[in-house]
Amino acid sequence: MNDAVSKVLISEEEINNTVTRLADEINRDYAGKEIILVGLLKGSFVFMGDLMRKITVPCSVDFMIVSSYGGKTFTSGEVNIKKDIGDDIKGKNVIIVEDIIDSGVTLSAVLDILKKREPASLKLCSFLSKPARRLKEVQIDYLGIEIPDEFVIGYGLDYDEKYRNIPCVGILDPKYINE
């Protein structure tokens, strides 16, 4: 265990069970259809990789790099798109894959951008949700786990680009926060 984790919030086993449940829901809802998974980097890559391996319907992947944090533990409120998707999504079934929805600011902006591109459907799948921090409400179609208002790391989640490789989700020990 990494000493930056003050408490394990979600075990590896619970992560696996949650990803399986979400993939089962997506497989059921999109039976006979094709989907495009759009991962929001960097945080979603671990979750998206696990999720896509459990999805049985035809799917392709694309990525966006979007941020509103900039090395802090709170949103700046300004959304910065560093990389846009490369595929045309008009008339296609798109599922945005996110690691955590905190303020909702980033996701709200991404949803607005992608809706203008006229997909057949646009859904949101998030491994975690932290509703106590919500500034903008977004509809989460496939939700893994709702968590308390703690800053979490591991399973792709980072603090200042560190700790993504921790196999569980844990609460970041405050002594590691440089704000």
Side-chain angles (χ1 to χ4, degrees):
M1 177 58 60
N2 190 300
D3 62 349
V5 174
S6 64
K7 177 184 174 187
V8 173
L9 199 58
I10 305 168
S11 70
E12 289 180 70
E13 181 181 5
E14 189 175 1
I15 288 170
N16 185 53
N17 293 340
T18 300
V19 173
T20 298
R21 175 181 54 82
L22 292 170
D24 289 347
E25 291 174 21
I26 291 168
N27 289 330
R28 180 195 66 230
D29 292 352
Y30 288 92
K33 298 177 182 173
E34 292 184 20
I35 58 175
I36 299 174
L37 301 176
V38 175
L40 300 186
L41 295 175
K42 298 178 185 170
S44 72
F45 78 98
V46 176
F47 168 53
M48 185 163 153
D50 288 348
L51 180 69
M52 131 183 158
R53 283 191 297 274
K54 293 178 185 230
I55 289 177
T56 58
V57 299
C59 70
S60 59
V61 299
D62 206 338
F63 296 94
M64 293 179 80
I65 299 176
V66 184
S67 177
S68 66
Y69 284 79
K72 305 287 186 197
T73 60
F74 56 89
T75 182
S76 67
E78 293 183 26
V79 176
N80 180 16
I81 296 176
K82 298 177 180 179
K83 180 205 175 298
D84 203 344
I85 58 174
D87 294 333
D88 180 10
I89 61 169
K90 185 173 184 172
K92 300 189 177 157
N93 297 305
V94 176
I95 300 175
I96 299 169
V97 180
E98 180 64 300
D99 56 349
I100 186 168
I101 300 174
D102 194 50
S103 68
V105 171
T106 302
L107 258 296
S108 179
V110 169
L111 286 164
D112 287 346
I113 290 165
L114 295 183
K115 281 178 190 170
K116 291 176 184 170
R117 298 179 186 174
E118 301 176 20
S121 66
L122 182 61
K123 304 270 181 152
L124 175 57
C125 176
S126 183
F127 178 62
L128 301 174
S129 175
K130 193 186 304 181
R133 294 276 206 152
R134 204 76 83 235
L135 299 174
K136 289 207 172 210
E137 287 303 319
V138 292
Q139 179 180 326
I140 306 170
D141 303 286
Y142 303 101
L143 174 59
I145 300 169
E146 195 170 282
I147 63 169
D149 189 11
E150 299 282 355
F151 196 87
V152 291
I153 54 174
Y155 193 63
L157 298 149
D158 75 303
Y159 170 65
D160 202 20
E161 296 301 324
K162 295 185 252 337
Y163 314 117
R164 292 185 196 277
N165 60 323
I166 297 170
C168 62
V169 174
I171 296 171
L172 177 62
D173 189 317
K175 71 183 175 192
Y176 288 87
I177 298 174
N178 302 319
E179 290 188 32

